[in-house]
Amino acid sequence: MAPSGHTSEKRTVHSKITKKFKTESGQLVFHHGHGGEVQATDGTTYLDFVMGYGPVVLGHNTTSFTRAVAESLTNGVMMPGYTSFHEEYLDRLLADQPGRRGAFFKTASEAVTAALRLAAIETERRGVIRCGFIGWHDAQIADSLKWHDPLASPLRYKQKYTENMRGVGDSEPVLNWHDLSLETLEELIDTHRSTVGCLVIDAYQASMTTPELMRRAVDLARNAGLLTVFDETKTGGRISRLGYAADHGIDTDLIVIGKALANGAPLSMLVGSTEHLATAEKSRLSGTFSKEMLAVYAALATLDELETPRGEFADGWAELGAVGSQVASCIAAAAREAGAETLVSAQPVMGGAMFELTYAERLLGDRASRDALLDSFTDAGILLLEGHPSFVCGAHRDNDWDELTRRSAKAFTQWLTTTGGIGK
């Protein structure tokens, strides 16, 4: 074990998100997880609503999941090609999707890149219209926005990653459908009809509008000859088996699913019709580790857990929704208790398997105050995300709800003090 839970200079290069997990002593480094909690290397335990940014859906180091994966490992980790375990997983995942197939990837960014290549091949146009965060590869993130902020936030519209990005240019533009207006989308399509071949929608953006608008957006793009992709990276396997589009009958050409499929093991899928996926087989959309077996063992074990009724709940996805809704309710109650309710609260997202902090209009553009709130929650022993949905796992069913409310109230009280009584 490392001597401290903090570090000022280590070899790991952190992302913008992981750098936020810190205390006054420095960057947090984690060592162990169990259920809905994680432990830093200094022994401090935190209630975890980051869940590795969403992949952990059952919990850390849960007994039945760990045992199932360990037993499966006796079959091996990598074969010359795909295995009966891959076939079993697809048969179960797509049981109610006749005519659909799936391609295996390690990350959703890979799967989205595959979708963009398929669109370019099928339409002979390389431009992309994007709505939401769809990955970190150059053509996915170039000229992007702060997509997880609400439509009313001034931070949402600040363009980022504007330089030194490959695969972006006049003949292959990457365009932002930023306001969820059908008129804006239609204008983008009409203006760039000769170069745009794909519409990619991050399913989280649907939480800011209606299923009907999303359905009309897909129809609008398809009628203009674009391939349509729903990126269910945050939602597929978490809010339901396949995610938002399938739940609401949105007939998109391709679906990207990732994160929660394998309870933390790296697995993402590109799902589409036989015709679309036949193109994938011809266009070299795979790599050596696409066929590894560890993540598929984990995905099968995760499905075993989530498909099983638990108490009053029909399945694990229904339970996740209830657990996340309860978490949001406790945090909202704590904001009221601390006198911060006019500034900040919490609400469930897409049924409750995710939740998010919500802000009064005057705080939407106040980056410093919002970051200070995240620090106050960390000091209170709670890890969550700010400016991004937070996540729950099945193991959070065992939360001490009074303790969660108490810690959250402590965080809000500290925040009001450190920001000079901003909520008074």
Side-chain angles (χ1 to χ4, degrees), residues 317-391:
W317 294 292
E319 183 185 37
L320 279 172
V323 169
S325 296
Q326 182 65 30
V327 171
S329 178
C330 287
I331 295 175
R336 292 192 296 272
E337 180 181 325
E341 74 276 14
T342 61
L343 286 173
V344 64
S345 189
Q347 66 182 16
V349 176
M350 292 183 160
M354 306 182 288
F355 68 93
E356 61 191 2
L357 298 177
T358 60
Y359 296 95
E361 184 175 355
R362 69 187 180 95
L363 275 183
L364 286 175
D366 189 345
R367 180 77 272 169
S369 293
R370 290 169 57 173
D371 284 343
L373 180 57
L374 192 71
D375 292 341
S376 293
F377 268 92
T378 300
D379 290 345
I382 300 172
L383 299 178
L384 44 70
L385 295 168
E386 192 286 314
H388 190 290
S390 295
F391 302 94

Side-chain angles (χ1 to χ4, degrees), residues 3 28 48 62 109 128 143 155 170 174 185 191 253 286 293 299 305 354 374 399 401:
L28 283 173
D48 179 16
T62 59
S109 293
V128 178
D143 301 327
L155 298 179
D170 292 342
V174 180
L185 177 60
T191 303
D253 295 314
S286 66
M293 299 159 70
E305 296 274 346
M354 306 182 288
L374 192 71
N399 281 348
W401 302 111

Side-chain angles (χ1 to χ4, degrees), residues 12-21 27 30 38 48-57 60 133 136 148 232-235 238 258-260 264 353-354 383-386 388-392:
T12 301
V13 178
H14 286 268
S15 71
K16 285 186 175 181
I17 293 182
T18 61
K19 286 179 70 174
K20 292 184 177 182
F21 305 131
Q27 180 75 51
F30 301 101
V38 291
D48 179 16
F49 296 119
V50 178
M51 294 286 109
Y53 311 179
V56 179
V57 68
H60 300 289
F133 182 85
W136 66 269
H148 298 107
E232 303 271 5
T233 300
K234 302 178 191 69
T235 47
R238 170 167 285 280
K259 291 203 176 186
M354 306 182 288
L383 299 178
L384 44 70
L385 295 168
E386 192 286 314
H388 190 290
S390 295
F391 302 94
V392 299

Side-chain angles (χ1 to χ4, degrees), residues 252-317:
T252 185
D253 295 314
L254 298 171
I255 299 174
V256 172
I257 319 171
K259 291 203 176 186
L261 293 180
N263 196 40
L267 181 67
S268 288
M269 305 293 307
L270 179 62
V271 172
S273 68
T274 296
E275 292 75 20
H276 290 311
L277 272 296
T279 303
E281 291 182 328
K282 299 174 184 176
S283 55
R284 190 58 172 83
L285 295 181
S286 66
T288 298
F289 288 100
S290 295
K291 64 184 186 301
E292 68 85 29
M293 299 159 70
L294 174 59
V296 176
Y297 298 149
L300 287 166
T302 302
L303 265 187
D304 286 342
E305 296 274 346
L306 291 174
E307 290 177 337
T308 302
R310 181 179 289 274
E312 65 185 286
F313 301 106
D315 52 40
W317 294 292

